[in-house]
Structures are given as structure tokens and as C-alpha cells.
Amino acid sequence: MATLEIKNLHVSVQTEQGAKEILKGVDLTIRSGETHAVMGPNGSGKSTLAYSVAGHPKYEVTDGEILLDGESVLEMSVDERARAGLFLAMQYPVEIPGVSVSNFLRTAKTALTGEAPALRQWVGDLREGMKNLKMDSDFTERNVNEGFSGGEKKRHEILQLELLKPKIAILDETDSGLDVDALKIVSEGVNRAKASSDLGVLLITHYTRILRYIKPDFVHVFVAGKVAEQGGPELADRLEAEGYDRYLKASA
Amino acid sequence: MAQHGIKEHSHGGDVPIQTRNLRPRSTSVSDFPEVSKLQEIWRYLPIDKLRGLDQEVMGELGQEAIELVLAPGVTSRWIESSDSLVGTAGLPEDRVSAASWTNASKTLVIEIPKDLEVNEPSFIRINPASVDANALHIVVVAGMHSNSTLVLDHIGQGVLGENIEIVLQDGANLNFVTIQEWEKGSSHVSAQFAKLGRDSNLKHVVVSLGGDVVRVTPSVELSSPGAEVNMYGVYLANTGNFFEHRPYVDHIAPNCVSNVAYKGALQGAGAHTVWVGDVLIRESATGTSTYELNRNLLLTDGARADSVPNLEIETGKIEGAGHASASGRFDDEQLFYLQARGISESEARRLVVRGFLSELIQKIGVAEVEERLIAAVELELEKAGV
Ligand SMILES: Nc1ncnc2c1ncn2[C@@H]1O[C@H](COP(=O)(O)OP(=O)(O)OP(=O)(O)O)[C@@H](O)[C@H]1O
Ligand SMILES: [Mg+2]
């Protein structure tokens, strides 16, 4: 049972004009087994929230706390956070020339568990994971994200989610750029990860489409660096019908 | 494909260079001015570290400093440097090359007979074990339709002025690798000249790992149709290393292909590398296809990589021509991605550096050289504590 608590989180980035505050007091608590959808318009700070939890050096936490099972995540380096059980599926996964997917995944698994995975088991899990996500087996020999299509990058993120088995996963717009078939495949991957462990999920999205396949327990509307409203799945239906206009007017 | 976080160099404002084939060529030292920073070809090099290589008179590398391990069928012999074979692939274009030429009274000839196909590589191992300035001249002749691999390996301590001629007869296929893994106190200036026969194929690989000054200037003349050259370079420069690589491809005949790719990793204060890549496509060289690339990864502050691609095109009727050159720091986004998967920062850096160089290391095609290079990369990364 894990709990990620985000309390009164304020985050700034450095710009040419000086520090710019993007997150303005975010409160969110995610527990194992729960699925939270964070929905908000472009530029509202959703990725900033995701990166701040993962510890990207670009984002400076100026106030507030992030706690994983009561321990401050802010004191941890990026890799320590991952080893503590946090996972971020990136909106824009990065290419790493010359590093093969198989080498990358094995290195990550070894780092997370502290020992090299038993070969036969690992090869089996990898093959199974790729088959489920309808990825060609030759992917393992390709360089990480190099020349991957948008959809392939997202499948690769979910493959990592399934293989690395975190406690809490943040999925940053994993649905964007996917056609309906790919969206289903990726959603099934997330649902499998939830079923096979007690994964807590923070699902960041712009659209309600993915919520047809991944059922949220809670929906948070994110506007101008804060949670503007929260509720159950019915809130998503309302957003579908009304859009973000109501919130944008209120925040303006 | 652009590397993240790497700045493309701007080529604006470059002084127009002298057309490459108009450089004077001579075997006589007095035809060249004293080495000075005012000359473009010497502008980067720490001249005080030439250690006598630019003087009129120097010694000649003793044959005991050269160990030959040749594949079956490959032969060697020493000839007088007055022999007409000497000078077939090219002539000196600078003072050090001319001095090395005139001071080497004997020339080592390595011959790969016509039609010989050998998988196992031949090795020329050079270990001067002296810091006197010495000259060495080697001519490699790859016979018609032969297919072979030759590794020229420089180790130990030495001050060496070298001229290496590589002649590929029609249809010959040669993988030529030159390794510079000198100890501290060494200076090495190697002018290499290759002349490619019709439909021949040269892979020319430069691996520079050690030496106070290492300057390798491989010039390739594509004067017969259908010839192809692939020039690869991999280097790892540390504090105390100055490595300069100046590949030059002269496209004269039609329908030739050249591909130049050099990659280097630098670390430590004062580590300095220079890459100047010249490609000249003459009016006669229709149907040419060429690409040249140099990338440098700066692992720490205080290292410097100069990178200058020069592409001169005198005909419009070419298949394709391009160049790319970039030097940059570690890409923070790559490191973040790896670390976000639990991989420690030092392990992430290793992965990125190995990945950066591996594409070229894999192309060398000589297992023992590839392994040695991978081991050298590991060792360097350990030294830097990354
Ligand atoms: N380095 C930066 N300099 C200036 N502004 C920045 C910087 N990084 C982020 N921002 C701004 O912060 C705001 C939030 O960005 P963020 O990427 O978190 O939004 P988002 O909600 O994920 O948007 P999207 O739906 O487009 O993915 C945006 O207005 C963005 O322009
Ligand atoms: Mg975003």
C-alpha cells in the first residue's frame, strides 16, 4: 500500500524574464489501486506537475511538499525517486542514440531491483509484454525511441510500466497522438499493470476519450496551475459536454 | 538526426578557403615555410610539442621498433625510398610530412597479392621506445580484387613523423585501421595518402586514444570511376591530449562515393580535439555521392572541440553532398529519461557515451580493435568518475 501526497505544491521555471511560477498550490493524494484523472487545457501545468514529481532539474519547487509513504520525495534524486516506486510515462519520450531497447530495459530493471533479472524469466516477460502491446520483436534491437513513431513511443512507455512494476505511475498524455486501435492497446496495458499489482495511477489527459478504456475513480480539473474542481467519473462526462470554458473564464 | 542539446556550428562568416587541390606539394622541406600558427593547417596545434618533427633533419625509426604480424599471403619488404613505388599515392602537403619523407631513407612495403582474400587482420605494431624525433615511411599495396584488413598500431612512447601510402588496385577491398594509443610524452604527425583504383573500396579507420600531440591527415584521391571510401574516426581525449584529424577526399573521377564520420568524446581541462574535414568535388566528378559528419561530446568543462567541415563543389551534376558537425554537452533530457527509470546518474552517463560512440565502433570490423576501444571507453569513464 503506497500513498503519494502532493501538498500545496508551488513550482517555478527559469525563463529569460526571471522565474515564472507555473504550479500555484497543488493538492493531490493518490493511493495504491486508485486511478486519478487530471484533465486540463494546454499550458495549464499538467506536465510540470508530472516532471516535478519525477524530479526534472528544470523545475524548481518553491513551496509545498511531495511525500511518498510519508517520506519527502523532494530530497531524492531522479533515480532514487524511481527506485522508491515512482514512474513517469513521458509525453515526449527522448531518443537515446546507440542504446538498444533491450540493453536499456535490462539496465533499468537491474537498477530498480538491485540485481540482474534471471535471464529466462526476463526474456519471457519481455516477449510477452511486447506481444500484448503488439510491438514487433525487432524493437528490442532498435535504439531507444530512435525513429519510433508517436504511437510506438507510447507503447514503449507502457511496456516499461508493465516490466518495471512501479507503485505509483504518472502517465502524461499517453493517449495523445494515438489512433483508436493504439489507444485500446495502450489502455489494456495500463489495465493489466493495475490488475497485476496494486498500482496507483495519475492519468494526465486533455481529452475524455481514454477514460472510456481506463476508468478513473477521481477526476481533477486542472486550470492555471491548480486543481479547480474535483469529483468522480461524472465530472469527466461534464467536461466532455461543456469543455474547459467555464473554468477558463473563472480563472481569467 | 539531430542530437538533443547539441548546437549546430554556424558556418557563416568563414573565410573562404583556398581551393584544396591548389595546395603546394613537395618532398622538399625547404619548399615549406617554418611551422607557424599563422598558417591555417597549423593554427590549432601546440607547436612547442612538435619535438623536432618540423626540423630539416631527424632520425629514422629503427626496424626493431616495428613488429609485423601478417596474415598468410601478405608480404613485407624494405626498399630504398628512392624506389619509384614511393610517392605513388601522394606527396607531402606540409613541412612535417616533407621532413619525414626526406629523412626516411628506407620504406616498408606491405603487399596484399592480387586476388588474396583473408579474413584475419594483419598488424603493424609500432613502439619506438624513444623520444627522439624519427621518420617512418610505409607503402601498402592492395592488389587487384584482394580483400584484407591491416591494422597499424602505435603504442608506447615516441616522437614520430610518418608518411603512409595506401594504394588500392582495381577492385581491391581494404580495411585499414590506424590506432594511436601513445603514452604521455609522445608526439605523432601522420600524413596518410590513399589512391583508389577503379571500383575499389577502402575503409579507413582512425582511432586516437593517447598522445600529447596526435595529428592524422588522411587524404584520399578518388581518381578512378566507381571507387568508394568510408572514413571513420573515433577518439577519446583527456587532459594532456591534443588530437587533430583532417580527412580530405578529392573527388576527381565520376561515380565515386565517399562517406566520412568521426566522433569524439572529450573530458578534462585542456583536452583539445580538432576536426577539419575537406571534401572537394571537381568538375569531372559527376555522379558523386558524399557525406561528412563530425560529432563531439564534451563530458566535462574545460575541454574544447573544434570542428570545421569544408565542402567545395565544382560541378552541379552530383548524386548528393552533405555535411554535419556538432559539439555539445551531455543531453540533460537523455540523462533525465534514463534516471527516471531508476538508472543512476553515472550509469546513465556511461550508457549515453557508449551509445554515442558505439555506432562507429561497430563499423571498425576488427573484433580485437573494437574490444580494445570499448575497454578504453570504460577505463576513461571510470577515470572521470562519471
Ligand atoms: N522553460 C519555460 N519557460 C517559459 N515557460 C515555460 C517553460 N516551461 C514551461 N513553461 C510554461 O508553463 C506552462 C505549463 O506548461 P506544461 O507543459 O506543464 O503544460 P501542460 O498542461 O502539460 O500543456 P499541454 O497540454 O500542452 O501538454 C506553459 O504555459 C508553458 O509555456
Ligand atoms: Mg503536457
Side-chain angles (χ1 to χ4, degrees), chain A residues 51 54 56 78-79 82-83 87-88 90 94-99 103-104 107-108 111-112 145-146 157 160, chain B residues 1-4 331-334 336-345 347 351-352 354-356 358-359:
Chain A
Y51 277 128
H56 193 293
V78 176
D79 48 303
R83 292 198 294 273
F87 179 88
L88 168 60
M90 314 237 180
V94 182
E95 293 182 3
I96 309 187
V99 178
N103 184 14
F104 163 64
T107 307
L112 286 168
N145 294 319
E146 208 175 68
E157 295 294 290
Q160 295 169 52
Chain B
M1 177 222 47
Q3 288 260 139
H4 288 269
D331 182 347
D332 289 340
E333 298 301 326
Q334 290 180 358
F336 173 73
Y337 188 80
L338 294 169
Q339 284 185 263
R341 299 302 178 247
I343 299 168
S344 69
E345 184 178 347
E347 179 78 11
L351 273 177
V352 171
R354 266 194 247 135
F356 173 74
S358 72
E359 177 205 9

Side-chain angles (χ1 to χ4, degrees), chain A residues 171-199:
Chain A
L171 311 180
D172 190 2
E173 299 212 21
T174 298
D175 53 335
S176 63
L178 296 182
D179 60 28
V180 176
D181 289 338
L183 183 65
K184 272 189 205 158
I185 291 166
V186 159
S187 301
E188 281 164 16
V190 176
N191 289 330
R192 266 194 310 276
K194 283 171 59 178
S196 73
S197 68
D198 206 17
L199 181 69

Side-chain angles (χ1 to χ4, degrees), chain A residues 13-15 20 22 41-48 58 91 173:
Chain A
V13 291
Q14 283 305 323
T15 70
K20 175 181 169 189
I22 297 175
N42 291 131
S44 56
K46 304 182 297 297
S47 292
T48 302
K58 195 173 100 176
Q91 184 174 5
E173 299 212 21

